[in-house]
């Protein structure tokens, strides 16, 4: 069975930091994006998948498709999973996708969110989702790039 080498929350999904730092660090050979909005927008989907390196299989799924893809990884898959919200990981977990760690890379300021840690913002609902992940044994940390020290989110929630 394949492995999820990085499960990341990032508003921007794919961008320079993900491509360089995390692909090198994890040795990933596949990126799975689970985001209903992106999956249902042909133009957005094309943009997001075109940003990934050509040698990395990059796919965009809605929730149902993401669950299926993540439960049926090939043996040699080393997958980076990208989502925009912690609620997606809560739902994936409820659907039987096993998550050991979740990384927060980018949750920017926007309406309904307040400062959570440095340049990371979260709404009360997002904090509740992060707490649910932690309470279900998922190690949640903030780590922008692989070289950064990971910040344990469980300590920030208490």
């Amino acid at each position: 069975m394949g492995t999820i080498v990085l499960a990341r929350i990032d508003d921007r999904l794919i961008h320079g930091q993900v491509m360089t730092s995390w692909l090198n660090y994890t040795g990933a050979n596949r990126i799975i994006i689970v985001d209903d909005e992106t999956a249902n927008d042909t133009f957005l989907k094309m943009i997001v998948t075109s940003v990934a390196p050509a040698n990395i299989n990059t796919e965009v799924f809605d929730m149902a498709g993401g669950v299926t893809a993540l439960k049926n990884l090939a043996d040699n898959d080393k997958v980076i999973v990208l989502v925009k919200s912690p609620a997606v990981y809560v739902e994936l977990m409820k659907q039987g996708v096993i998550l050991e760690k979740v990384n927060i890379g980018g949750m920017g300021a926007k309406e309904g969110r307040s400062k959570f840690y440095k340049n990371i913002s979260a709404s009360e609902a997002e904090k509740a989702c992060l707490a649910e992940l932690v309470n279900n044994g998922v190690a949640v940390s903030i780590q922008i790039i692989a070289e950064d020290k990971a910040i344990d989110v469980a300590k920030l929630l208490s």
Side-chain angles (χ1 to χ4, degrees):
M1 173 118 187
T3 308
I4 296 174
V5 295
L6 177 68
R8 181 174 169 94
I9 301 166
D10 196 319
D11 291 339
R12 299 174 291 173
L13 297 173
I14 292 181
H15 54 93
Q17 290 170 328
V18 171
M19 292 300 95
T20 53
S21 175
W22 288 110
L23 281 171
N24 291 336
Y25 181 77
T26 62
N29 58 14
R30 185 175 180 192
I31 296 172
I32 292 177
I33 296 169
V34 182
D35 184 64
D36 288 344
E37 178 189 0
T38 305
N40 293 310
D41 182 327
T42 309
F43 180 72
L44 203 52
K45 194 173 176 177
M46 184 209 46
I47 297 290
V48 168
T49 55
S50 70
V51 177
N55 63 327
I56 305 295
N57 182 17
T58 304
E59 301 155 288
V60 181
F61 296 101
D62 62 9
M63 179 58 70
V67 168
T68 301
L70 292 168
K71 284 184 169 181
N72 295 291
L73 298 176
D75 288 343
N76 64 340
D77 280 342
K78 294 170 86 179
V79 180
I80 292 177
V81 182
L82 299 173
V83 306
K84 290 182 180 179
S85 162
V88 176
Y89 285 126
V90 170
E91 185 58 31
L92 288 171
M93 194 174 58
K94 286 179 180 175
Q95 298 290 328
V97 174
I98 297 168
L99 298 168
E100 294 177 13
K101 298 181 192 176
V102 168
N103 162 275
I104 301 173
M107 290 174 63
K110 68 179 186 182
E111 191 174 338
R113 283 184 176 170
S114 59
K115 184 175 177 176
F116 181 59
Y117 178 82
K118 293 191 178 179
N119 61 342
I120 303 294
S121 297
S123 68
E124 291 306 313
E126 289 167 328
K127 289 178 197 173
C129 288
L130 293 171
E132 186 170 349
L133 291 169
V134 168
N135 293 338
N136 279 284
V138 179
V140 182
S141 63
I142 296 170
Q143 191 174 6
I144 308 304
I145 57 173
E147 295 77 14
D148 289 345
K149 181 177 178 272
I151 306 300
D152 184 0
V153 168
K155 293 178 180 171
L156 300 175
L157 291 168
S158 53

